[in-house]
Amino acid sequence: MKYPEVLSFNDLLPHLAQFDAIIDVRSPSEYAEDHLPGAINCPVLDDEQRVRVGTIYKQVSSFEAKKIGAALIAKNIAQHIEERFLDKPREWKPLIYCWRGGNRSGAMALILAKIGWPVAQLEGGYKNFRNHVNEVLPQFAPRFQWRVICGTTGSGKSRLLTSLASQGAQVLDLEQLAAHRGSVLGDLPSQPQPSQKKFESSIWQTLRNFDSTLPVYVEAESKKVGKLRVPEAIMEEMRKSPCINLRLPTEQRVELLMDDYAHFIEDTDNLNRQLDFLHVLHGKEKIKDWKQLADKGQIGELVRELLEKHYDPAYLRSINRNFLQSENALLIDQTGISHEDFLQSTKVILQSDLALAKNTAGMGNPTSAASKT
């Protein structure tokens, strides 16, 4: 076979796991916005060099730009080979891609192929992959049996998802993928949210490895998690799917939130800045009262006030309006927030779904029957 081998993403997809490395040769900023799952960044032009070559291309000529670009690309590829690839055996099989045109990935693919490695190059580059994600995400959504974890703020929905995952259940943790807890106080310290494209790629990567005959557990979310939009097709399926209502006494909810939001306790100035976003809903006087509680260190009282006056009413209105099966939800009552408490709730949920699956199979459900063939 002649290398480098140029393949479309649809042809590559069933064989992605067979590559020893997926190499993104785009600039660091392009890579940071989004990339193929598991790809490493080996830029053949860094951000500054890419701008420089692009400027010469527009203002002088394509010929001059190609000369300068070729020199820079050759130097960078040589550096990557010396620093990262010299120890690779003859059988090492990399997949290489760039943005779209193939010039940058083609340069590295050609050199690595000349060395003797069985190199593959992604035709159409990252754009080919992005088109695939845009196309299949809406198709993924109706394939799965969604189970939506509901519950007022602080009831431990994220911890329950973690517990479910630890027991082998299929979990789509949107807040984890979005690096945000989904509320006005949801920003994570020192962890910016990914781009919208990266968020969607992470969802695609998670769902493509799931078994469509088994439930997928997900937390009830609004259309946005922080600044990121949940794909519309997934939201539509979630909102009409069976719900699980997790309930926890208020005292334990306050304790859990003070644990999860400890960074605000340590930085009340940041907490007060976030409270300012609630002015429109609660007025300046109420926000002033809440800030005073924060400044006095009365965080437990502040959390209780926020739950009773802001989070609970808003959450219940949203759940009743948007999640059609919330009234018929499986009720899970917890009295504590320990690992064992969430593990016990996990066992109840999994046993309930197992019983439901057996009952459905006994009624001759076509999907259940097909899953056995």
Side-chain angles (χ1 to χ4, degrees):
M1 181 178 294
K2 184 180 179 180
Y3 295 106
E5 186 180 11
V6 181
L7 300 169
S8 71
F9 188 75
N10 286 336
D11 291 334
L12 283 169
L13 183 56
H15 312 291
L16 273 181
Q18 298 175 13
F19 290 97
D20 296 306
I22 301 176
I23 303 173
D24 185 326
V25 302
R26 298 176 301 158
S27 66
S29 63
E30 292 174 289
Y31 174 83
E33 183 183 22
D34 187 30
H35 51 266
L36 270 67
I40 61 173
N41 190 208
C42 297
V44 298
L45 291 174
D46 63 27
D47 290 308
E48 183 179 344
Q49 291 167 344
R50 183 166 170 255
V51 170
R52 178 186 169 194
V53 172
T55 301
I56 295 172
Y57 186 94
K58 292 179 180 179
Q59 296 182 359
V60 183
S61 72
S62 61
F63 179 70
E64 293 299 323
K66 288 177 181 178
K67 285 195 297 182
I68 299 298
L72 293 170
I73 288 172
K75 290 178 182 177
N76 290 330
I77 292 176
Q79 182 176 356
H80 292 312
I81 292 173
E82 289 179 343
E83 294 180 355
R84 310 185 75 162
F85 306 144
L86 283 181
D87 63 337
K88 306 303 180 186
R90 179 182 291 273
E91 298 78 20
W92 180 66
K93 186 177 182 180
L95 168 65
I96 302 173
Y97 72 93
C98 56
W99 162 243
R100 179 182 61 183
N103 288 332
R104 289 181 287 175
S105 59
M108 178 175 278
L110 179 61
I111 292 174
L112 296 190
K114 288 295 184 181
I115 292 173
W117 285 308
V119 178
Q121 182 184 357
L122 174 56
E123 181 182 29
Y126 167 80
K127 189 173 183 181
N128 192 324
F129 163 70
R130 179 64 189 168
N131 289 340
H132 175 85
V133 172
N134 288 336
E135 179 183 347
V136 303
L137 263 185
Q139 299 171 10
F140 272 167
R143 295 180 188 175
F144 295 107
Q145 307 167 44
W146 299 92
R147 299 289 187 272
V148 183
I149 309 296
C150 302
T152 49
T153 301
S155 56
K157 299 183 291 294
S158 294
R159 296 190 184 190
L160 180 58
L161 288 179
T162 299
S163 181
L164 282 162
S166 74
Q167 298 304 301
Q170 298 183 147
V171 168
L172 179 64
D173 192 336
L174 292 169
E175 293 187 359
Q176 182 185 60
L177 298 180
H180 197 277
R181 291 200 172 101
S183 69
V184 69
L185 301 179
D187 289 335
L188 300 182
S190 305
Q191 188 176 352
Q193 289 194 264
S195 69
Q196 181 68 33
K197 292 179 181 178
K198 183 68 173 68
F199 180 51
E200 293 170 4
S201 293
S202 298
I203 294 173
W204 169 83
Q205 173 68 356
T206 302
L207 292 180
R208 81 182 189 92
N209 293 310
F210 281 173
D211 183 342
S212 61
T213 67
L214 300 175
V216 174
Y217 298 93
V218 63
E219 181 177 340
E221 300 285 356
S222 61
K223 291 183 177 180
K224 296 185 74 175
V225 184
K227 67 178 183 181
L228 302 177
R229 301 182 308 277
V230 178
E232 184 176 350
I234 291 177
M235 283 302 308
E236 288 179 1
E237 292 299 322
M238 287 169 55
R239 287 183 168 184
K240 62 186 181 184
S241 295
C243 296
I244 298 165
N245 188 10
L246 183 61
R247 300 193 298 196
L248 189 68
T250 300
E251 288 302 321
Q252 279 68 45
R253 292 167 61 202
V254 171
E255 181 183 351
L256 184 148
L257 288 170
M258 291 182 66
D259 183 29
D260 283 353
Y261 292 84
H263 54 284
F264 280 128
I265 299 175
E266 299 168 0
D267 185 0
T268 55
D269 288 341
N270 187 25
L271 172 58
N272 286 338
R273 285 193 295 270
Q274 296 300 114
L275 290 174
D276 282 332
F277 289 109
L278 301 178
H279 269 147
V280 176
L281 295 174
H282 299 284
K284 292 184 178 180
E285 287 303 313
K286 176 54 68 176
I287 300 303
K288 181 180 178 181
D289 292 342
W290 287 344
K291 286 184 176 181
Q292 288 177 347
L293 290 175
D295 291 337
K296 293 177 181 178
Q298 297 175 331
I299 304 299
E301 185 176 347
L302 171 60
V303 171
R304 180 185 288 275
E305 282 255 341
L306 286 170
L307 289 176
E308 294 175 352
K309 300 293 196 305
H310 175 69
Y311 283 109
D312 288 0
Y315 187 86
L316 292 173
R317 284 194 302 269
S318 176
I319 287 293
N320 293 333
R321 181 175 64 249
N322 294 313
F323 289 85
L324 303 180
Q325 297 196 43
S326 59
E327 292 185 1
N328 301 316
L330 171 68
L331 297 179
I332 303 293
D333 285 307
Q334 286 198 176
T335 57
I337 59 174
S338 69
H339 170 76
E340 289 72 22
D341 291 318
F342 285 104
L343 185 59
Q344 182 60 38
S345 296
T346 292
K347 291 177 180 178
V348 172
I349 292 169
L350 295 179
Q351 289 170 359
S352 174
D353 270 330
L354 180 61
L356 177 63
K358 288 181 178 179
N359 186 47
T360 304
M363 296 170 61
N365 180 271
T367 302
S368 178
S371 70
K372 296 179 183 179
T373 62

